Amino acid sequence: MKPRVEHLEEAFGIGERSPRLSWRLPPGADAQTAFRVRTTDGQDTGWLPGTDHVLVAWPFAALGPAQRVTWQVRVRTSLGESPWSPPCVLETGLLSPADWSARWIRPAEDSVAPAGQRPGHELRGEIVCAGPVGSARLYATAHGLYEAFVNGVRVGDQELTPGFTQYASRLQTQTYDVSALLRPGVNEITVLLTDGWFRGQVGLLRAADQWGAATAFLAQVHVDGRVAGGTGDGWTSRVSAVRAADLIEGQHADLAAGPGPWSPARLAPELGFDGLVGAVAPPVRRIEELRPVAITTLAPDRRVVDLGQNINGWVRLTGPAGAEVTLTHGEALGADGDVDMTHLAPALPFLPHPLSAGQVDRVTFASAGVFEPRHTTHGFRYVRITGLADFSADDVTGVVVHSDLTMTGWFSCDDERIERLHEAAVWSFRGNACDIPTDCPTRERAGWTGDWQVFVPAAAFLYDVAGFSTKWLRDLAADQWDTGVVANISPTPPAEGRHGPLGGWNGSAGWGDAAVIVPWEIYRAYGDVRLLAEQWDSMRAWLGFVERSAAAGAHPDPHLWDSGFHWGEWLVPGDVIGDMATYQARDFTDVATAYFYRSASLMAEIAAVLGHDPAPYAELAERVRAAWQAEFVAADGRIRPDTQANLVRALAFGLVPPEHTRAAADRLAALIRDAGTHLATGFLATADLLPVLAEHGHAALAYDLLAQDTEPSWMTMLDRGATTVWEWWDGVNADGVARDSLNHYSKGAVIGFLHRYTAGIRCLEAGYRRFRIAPIPGGGLTRASATHDSPYGRIRSSWEITDGVLRLTVEVPPGTSAEVVVLSATEDVGPGTHIFEHAY
Ligand code: RAM
């Protein structure tokens, strides 16, 4: 029955006093009529009538801090009364400032080196346990990144803790079970503390000290329900063997010189306990290890290791005593076969020269041993290693690091290239799910709103991103300006915020709309109504900004959004961005007004879900649509601008008057064919391109675009060696030269077409409580299959064509129903496995 708490596999250290519970129904059940929840400490709801079993409200009194509850559920369905589910444990963390008696401390640090060259510090303290330890917890967080050790043993397996949030408002705390690590008597707690996002370089500008000029650490240990100690008086600190650690620049460990001398750590009474939050998303972990597929010797002391896959993470290296090794991580090789770093260095018009690409680790081994730089990450497939006389593939391990999200989606078919494209998109997501959804794991690693808006539907099919997105949306709301502007990136480092040099680039259509679209997509995929309620004010503030911005434009119709800064369709093939002032002067009224309509119309739907009056939003949406049509649809139905992206967006959002839909879709098809069956979409419209074609009678063309292998196309990426999706269509040009990021998921959103059209799994009611299976075969495929683990259970659509017969197998989880559309026949089915056969 898979009981679950909130959106977490492990509900440990949660910050929620009334967490919602979910469970699945027994196989074969069609619907729940009643349920009963009990806890091992004797609470019991008795039988409660109800059909809901996804995100059910907490049925008991609100929880207190550090409270552990073991609960079970049983259900009444068509199959009768189920047995009790297996027990499920949840535990709260510390919930309010009053729960903390420990005090923040800082390492003794008299001078601070330039960003990127700052050493990590070790902190040390003791916890005395009077007698045998039953159950013990460590609660910890930091300004910076920390790793904690109890009696020399690393605590837990989370990486890059405390994670990345808008630190000015929210800081995550972690809860660890240290029962097995503490012993009676004196216990030593040591901590490695480095700059991380808090004080190290972040974002495009490589700005440091964004949330403070000093690092700090806070920990509290509870033994058998009582506070046993924590950070405060008596702690000491020293410079660690990590001589530099920075998320962008890399990590430098001098294991030969070792750590410096101890001195007293400093109390930081100015730091309080407001804004400390518990876990709502899975932590970052080391997820997978890769062996090199090739090692190329360029010179006696210069070798390039190829992991065969572009990843986010680091390399674990075994080295001999005394070796001084440098590891340089990149995504591409230059013509000389060496790692090319030039395309990863941010170059900005107002900077005299490109900034550092970073991604360099250095280690000096004292004795033969292992180096693993856990206080930085890199986006890379290749690593150049110098300073290591001789090594083999066994000495080098690629460590894949990202949020430990549960995989929920799979796709396969009999075209190996399409499968590889799907795989590349999955890897791009994995490369960009490092506690926040990032644009790329190299150049800026920033939580770009537009990127997540575009990719979230595909991501929500592949992985459970509900908690991950909830956490990020709270940052988005925290970052929102008082004008309602949604920042380009969340968390926003102040240097990239409103008052920084990039301040004027915020408030863009298609980016800011993430405030509405992301909660909506999460609601659709997971049925989370509370998230909509939580984000409602943020959405309203965004829509308010859009309305005012549109009204302030030059056009007499206040519903045409013709003012402000917009990224526009962004990175259409062959575009030259040029300087930003010129770019800014381009007219993106079509894009902006389309998104104005999109957000207003979604908010009408959201209002209805939340029980607010949808009419004002629906009416606003209608006025915006009318404005868009008046401006962009001619009397004969022709639509301008006459571009693929505009037609895709207009059709996908429902902006085209119904009588002209057919002609608009045909015009889109003609534009594609005139371009030699090539796409011309950029960031925003690419995800909808193939779906729109398929929806409007051009499925064959959609498959032709997918199969296209000349530039611009997805297959060109694969043919030029991509293992992740590129930022630009020509991320590597015909001469093999790389530009910008080679790991950006936005264009990989095309795989949503494989899930929703090729395999045909489409959500109809939130959480897939009701869904459609409507596969659209094509592209010469003779079989395709997709599986999605929805909140209600496993959905599968699998078809094959043999001897002129299309045979479709559909799996419908308990508690749900599906509308199956095969060719032109439609049938409604309930839970179970169903097989359909049609002449094809
Ligand atoms: C780039 C980012 C991101 C995109 C913005 C507009 O710098 O990488 O992908 O959303 O520009």
Side-chain angles (χ1 to χ4, degrees):
M1 303 238 302
K2 231 186 162 211
R4 247 166 88 97
V5 178
E6 288 293 327
H7 295 294
L8 293 163
E9 294 293 318
E10 316 147 70
F12 195 68
I14 60 171
E16 190 57 59
R17 290 174 189 269
S18 297
R20 295 164 299 172
L21 307 177
S22 305
W23 54 86
R24 290 183 181 171
L25 302 184
D30 50 15
Q32 172 188 290
T33 53
F35 68 97
R36 182 173 169 188
V37 180
R38 73 173 180 197
T39 63
T40 47
D41 60 3
Q43 305 186 80
D44 190 334
T45 60
W47 283 104
L48 296 174
T51 53
D52 288 346
H53 52 103
V54 169
L55 299 170
V56 175
W58 178 244
F60 304 115
L63 299 165
Q67 192 173 339
R68 187 175 178 84
V69 177
T70 304
W71 64 281
Q72 287 175 289
V73 60
R74 61 189 303 201
V75 296
R76 215 177 267 155
T77 67
S78 50
L79 304 176
E81 285 179 12
S82 75
W84 286 104
S85 70
C88 179
V89 173
L90 70 89
E91 189 174 313
T92 54
L94 301 186
L95 299 177
S96 67
D99 301 331
W100 291 92
S101 54
R103 283 171 292 164
W104 282 94
I105 55 168
R106 300 189 191 279
E109 192 183 31
D110 292 324
S111 64
V112 180
Q117 301 167 30
R118 297 171 183 167
H121 286 85
E122 275 177 64
L123 296 159
R124 184 188 178 281
E126 291 176 356
I127 301 288
V128 181
C129 297
V133 175
S135 149
R137 297 288 180 269
L138 171 73
Y139 303 95
T141 189
H143 287 177
L145 296 181
Y146 76 90
E147 262 182 290
F149 303 81
V150 172
N151 297 318
V153 179
R154 187 169 190 240
V155 174
D157 59 359
Q158 304 190 21
E159 303 297 339
L160 307 175
T161 49
F164 193 15
T165 50
Q166 176 45 260
Y167 297 125
S169 342
R170 303 166 4 87
L171 176 64
Q172 300 184 117
T173 59
Q174 282 73 40
T175 302
Y176 305 95
D177 183 350
V178 291
S179 314
L181 300 180
L182 290 173
R183 49 189 184 231
V186 175
N187 294 272
E188 184 187 59
I189 314 263
T190 51
V191 175
L192 176 60
L193 180 65
T194 60
D195 282 7
W197 293 283
F198 192 95
R199 189 175 77 157
Q201 299 180 82
V202 280
L204 196 58
L205 298 178
R206 304 280 184 263
D209 305 325
Q210 289 298 289
W211 286 277
T215 57
F217 179 68
L218 173 70
Q220 187 164 304
V221 175
H222 291 205
V223 174
D224 295 322
R226 289 229 192 91
V227 178
T231 45
D233 287 323
W235 280 62
T236 52
S237 75
R238 64 181 180 185
V239 168
S240 76
V242 173
R243 287 302 203 262
D246 184 90
L247 284 165
I248 301 273
E249 215 60 50
Q251 186 164 328
H252 170 207
D254 191 340
L255 307 172
W262 290 106
S263 55
R266 293 169 187 166
L267 292 178
E270 67 280 13
L271 301 182
F273 307 90
D274 288 330
L276 298 183
V277 297
V280 297
V284 173
R285 289 198 169 99
R286 288 173 280 186
I287 304 293
E288 188 179 338
E289 299 195 343
L290 300 178
R291 303 248 47 96
V293 295
I295 301 177
T296 309
T297 303
L298 299 177
D301 182 24
R302 201 177 180 88
R303 290 187 181 77
V304 172
V305 174
D306 178 4
L307 291 181
Q309 176 60 53
N310 202 13
I311 64 167
N312 181 57
W314 53 67
V315 159
R316 187 164 64 232
L317 181 76
T318 309
E324 287 183 40
V325 187
T326 302
L327 302 108
T328 306
H329 305 74
E331 298 186 303
L333 299 180
D336 55 0
D338 207 344
V339 179
D340 175 7
M341 302 302 283
T342 46
H343 64 106
L344 297 178
L348 289 161
F350 50 83
L351 296 173
H353 49 77
L355 301 172
S356 157
Q359 307 219 109
V360 179
D361 294 337
R362 286 190 295 141
V363 55
T364 306
F365 287 97
S367 50
V370 174
F371 166 67
E372 180 168 12
R374 293 197 294 259
H375 288 248
T376 188
T377 60
H378 313 301
F380 70 107
R381 166 177 172 173
Y382 303 98
V383 54
R384 177 205 305 141
I385 300 186
T386 59
L388 202 55
D390 196 20
F391 63 90
S392 77
D394 292 340
D395 300 320
V396 183
T397 304
V399 183
V400 179
V401 178
H402 55 76
S403 287
D404 193 4
L405 306 167
T406 303
M407 194 153 199
T408 57
W410 298 266
F411 174 83
S412 72
C413 67
D414 63 335
D415 183 329
E416 179 264 343
R417 285 158 67 80
I418 292 179
E419 285 194 333
R420 269 174 53 213
L421 173 64
H422 190 269
E423 199 52 22
V426 171
W427 272 108
S428 260
F429 177 52
R430 298 179 64 185
N432 282 294
C434 191
D435 211 46
I436 62 160
T438 59
D439 59 330
C440 59
T442 48
R443 190 187 58 215
E444 47 203 287
R445 308 151 184 229
W448 278 93
T449 47
D451 302 45
W452 191 230
Q453 177 269 110
V454 161
F455 196 74
V456 73
F461 189 89
L462 299 170
Y463 285 91
D464 183 346
V465 294
F468 178 75
S469 299
T470 300
K471 167 184 173 286
W472 180 79
L473 283 167
R474 289 179 183 170
D475 293 321
L476 178 147
D479 283 328
Q480 211 164 346
W481 303 3
D482 55 9
T483 56
V485 163
V486 170
N488 276 331
I489 60 178
S490 271
T492 316
E496 298 199 10
R498 190 172 182 174
H499 305 293
L502 314 181
W505 299 358
N506 289 275
S508 165
W511 272 254
D513 296 284
V516 181
I517 296 172
V518 175
W520 173 251
E521 290 295 338
I522 297 300
Y523 161 72
R524 297 278 298 161
Y526 307 99
D528 191 340
V529 178
R530 199 188 67 189
L531 179 67
L532 292 178
E534 196 183 304
Q535 296 299 127
W536 180 247
D537 287 346
S538 155
M539 299 180 205
R540 287 200 350 170
W542 167 249
L543 194 68
F545 160 74
V546 174
E547 263 191 279
R548 288 192 305 277
S549 178
H555 196 281
D557 190 330
H559 297 104
L560 207 68
W561 192 8
D562 61 342
S563 68
F565 171 81
H566 301 289
W567 298 104
E569 175 59 19
W570 191 241
L571 308 195
V572 296
D575 195 14
V576 178
I577 303 297
D579 71 287
M580 281 308 281
T582 317
Y583 190 83
Q584 209 160 336
R586 291 194 200 178
D587 180 9
F588 292 122
T589 306
D590 55 322
V591 183
T593 308
Y595 272 95
F596 186 2
Y597 171 71
R598 177 84 180 130
S599 278
S601 55
L602 282 183
M603 282 187 65
E605 293 197 54
I606 294 167
V609 173
L610 294 177
H612 304 315
D613 180 10
Y617 302 98
E619 284 157 19
L620 174 63
E622 262 334 300
R623 284 193 290 271
V624 177
R625 174 152 60 185
W628 189 93
Q629 290 178 350
E631 184 72 6
F632 299 114
V633 185
D636 63 0
R638 257 182 298 169
I639 290 173
R640 85 183 173 82
D642 187 26
T643 62
Q644 291 186 26
N646 186 44
L647 289 164
V648 168
R649 191 164 17 255
L651 289 163
F653 291 1
L655 284 161
V656 183
E659 65 276 21
H660 298 312
T661 306
R662 183 64 201 264
D666 291 348
R667 178 62 192 157
L668 170 63
L671 285 176
I672 294 168
R673 284 211 197 82
D674 290 350
T677 315
H678 284 106
L679 53 77
T681 51
F683 245 62
L684 294 178
T686 295
D688 290 325
L689 173 60
L690 304 194
V692 157
L693 289 170
E695 292 276 358
H696 295 281
H698 294 287
L701 184 57
Y703 279 104
D704 288 348
L705 276 181
L706 193 59
Q708 176 58 262
D709 60 4
T710 57
E711 202 184 309
S713 72
W714 292 280
M715 292 308 162
T716 304
M717 297 190 195
L718 297 184
D719 290 342
R720 293 184 189 160
T723 59
T724 46
V725 179
W726 301 337
E727 180 175 18
W728 286 85
W729 289 109
D730 57 348
V732 174
N733 70 15
D735 300 324
V737 180
R739 71 183 293 190
D740 293 289
S741 154
L742 301 185
N743 197 355
H744 248 70
Y745 47 55
S746 83
K747 294 178 172 68
V750 66
I751 64 170
F753 174 76
L754 302 174
H755 308 147
R756 299 196 304 274
Y757 292 83
T758 304
I761 301 177
R762 265 174 268 172
C763 176
L764 294 179
E765 267 175 40
Y768 292 85
R769 193 166 196 165
R770 183 165 165 75
F771 55 93
R772 180 177 294 142
I773 301 284
I776 301 186
L781 296 179
T782 64
R783 65 172 175 81
S785 164
T787 304
H788 176 63
D789 283 345
S790 79
Y792 292 88
R794 177 156 293 188
I795 297 170
R796 193 163 69 97
S797 167
S798 178
W799 56 262
E800 56 187 330
I801 302 167
T802 25
D803 305 326
V805 174
L806 175 87
R807 187 184 154 93
L808 169 70
T809 308
V810 172
E811 241 178 81
V812 180
T816 70
S817 66
E819 174 188 288
V820 181
V821 188
V822 207
L823 306 176
S824 53
T826 302
E827 204 177 308
D828 242 56
V829 293
T833 302
H834 310 274
I835 294 174
F836 304 84
E837 288 189 341
H838 284 264
Y840 186 75

